[in-house]
Protein backbone atom coordinates (compact mmCIF):
# COMPACT_ATOMS: atom_id res chain seq x y z
CA UNK A 1 0.00 0.00 0.00
CA UNK A 2 1.34 3.45 -0.90
CA UNK A 3 1.89 5.85 1.95
CA UNK A 4 -0.22 9.04 2.25
CA UNK A 5 -2.78 8.07 -0.43
CA UNK A 6 -5.56 6.71 1.78
CA UNK A 7 -7.87 8.83 3.95
CA UNK A 8 -7.70 8.67 7.74
CA UNK A 9 -10.05 5.98 9.12
CA UNK A 10 -11.23 6.83 12.65
CA UNK A 11 -14.09 6.55 15.16
CA UNK A 12 -17.07 8.95 14.88
CA UNK A 13 -20.48 9.16 16.57
CA UNK A 14 -23.63 9.04 14.42
CA UNK A 15 -26.76 10.69 15.83
CA UNK A 16 -30.08 9.45 14.41
CA UNK A 17 -33.19 11.64 14.03
CA UNK A 18 -34.75 10.18 17.19
CA UNK A 19 -31.70 11.20 19.25
CA UNK A 20 -30.13 7.75 19.61
CA UNK A 21 -26.41 7.50 18.86
CA UNK A 22 -23.90 4.85 17.93
CA UNK A 23 -20.21 4.78 17.17
CA UNK A 24 -18.69 3.58 13.94
CA UNK A 25 -15.52 3.92 11.94
CA UNK A 26 -15.51 6.34 9.02
CA UNK A 27 -13.41 8.61 6.84
CA UNK A 28 -15.92 11.48 7.43
CA UNK A 29 -14.78 14.35 9.64
CA UNK A 30 -12.13 13.77 12.23
CA UNK A 31 -11.71 11.61 15.33
CA UNK A 32 -14.59 12.11 17.80
CA UNK A 33 -16.85 14.19 15.50
CA UNK A 34 -20.64 13.69 15.56
CA UNK A 35 -22.52 13.14 12.29
CA UNK A 36 -26.13 14.32 12.75
CA UNK A 37 -28.50 12.65 10.28
CA UNK A 38 -31.49 14.47 8.72
CA UNK A 39 -33.02 11.27 7.31
CA UNK A 40 -32.50 7.73 8.56
CA UNK A 41 -34.37 4.39 8.52
CA UNK A 42 -36.50 5.45 11.52
CA UNK A 43 -37.91 8.49 9.70
CA UNK A 44 -37.71 7.83 5.94
CA UNK A 45 -41.00 6.87 4.21
CA UNK A 46 -39.31 4.05 2.30
CA UNK A 47 -38.72 2.18 5.57
CA UNK A 48 -41.64 3.42 7.66
CA UNK A 49 -44.35 2.78 5.03
CA UNK A 50 -45.56 6.37 5.17
CA UNK A 51 -46.48 8.55 2.23
CA UNK A 52 -43.62 10.08 0.29
CA UNK A 53 -43.52 13.85 0.28
CA UNK A 54 -44.22 15.05 -3.24
CA UNK A 55 -42.93 18.35 -4.48
CA UNK A 56 -45.80 20.36 -5.92
CA UNK A 57 -43.45 23.08 -7.05
CA UNK A 58 -41.15 20.93 -9.21
CA UNK A 59 -40.22 21.72 -12.79
CA UNK A 60 -42.69 19.24 -14.32
CA UNK A 61 -45.52 20.48 -12.09
CA UNK A 62 -44.76 24.07 -13.07
CA UNK A 63 -44.77 23.14 -16.76
CA UNK A 64 -48.09 21.27 -16.48
CA UNK A 65 -49.63 24.16 -14.55
CA UNK A 66 -48.59 26.61 -17.25
CA UNK A 67 -49.20 24.54 -20.40
CA UNK A 68 -51.56 21.79 -19.18
CA UNK A 69 -54.49 22.91 -21.38
CA UNK A 70 -52.56 22.79 -24.67
CA UNK A 71 -53.10 20.00 -27.12
CA UNK A 72 -51.23 18.83 -30.22
CA UNK A 73 -54.37 17.63 -32.02
CA UNK A 74 -55.26 19.23 -35.35
CA UNK A 75 -58.80 20.56 -35.66
Amino acid sequence: MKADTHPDYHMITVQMTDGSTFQTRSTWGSEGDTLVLDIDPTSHPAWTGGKAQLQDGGRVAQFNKRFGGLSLKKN
Side-chain angles (χ1 to χ4, degrees), residues 1-6:
M1 201 178 338
K2 290 184 179 180
D4 299 328
T5 59
H6 299 282

Side-chain angles (χ1 to χ4, degrees), residues 23-68:
Q23 289 198 332
T24 187
R25 295 186 62 175
S26 176
T27 58
W28 180 85
S30 57
E31 181 78 29
D33 283 351
T34 300
L35 176 62
V36 180
L37 299 179
D38 294 330
I39 297 175
D40 62 14
T42 63
S43 66
H44 195 278
W47 289 285
T48 60
K51 280 183 119 176
Q53 294 178 350
L54 299 176
Q55 291 183 354
D56 293 330
R59 302 292 278 169
V60 174
Q62 288 176 357
F63 179 85
N64 288 335
K65 185 176 178 183
R66 188 170 179 188
F67 300 108

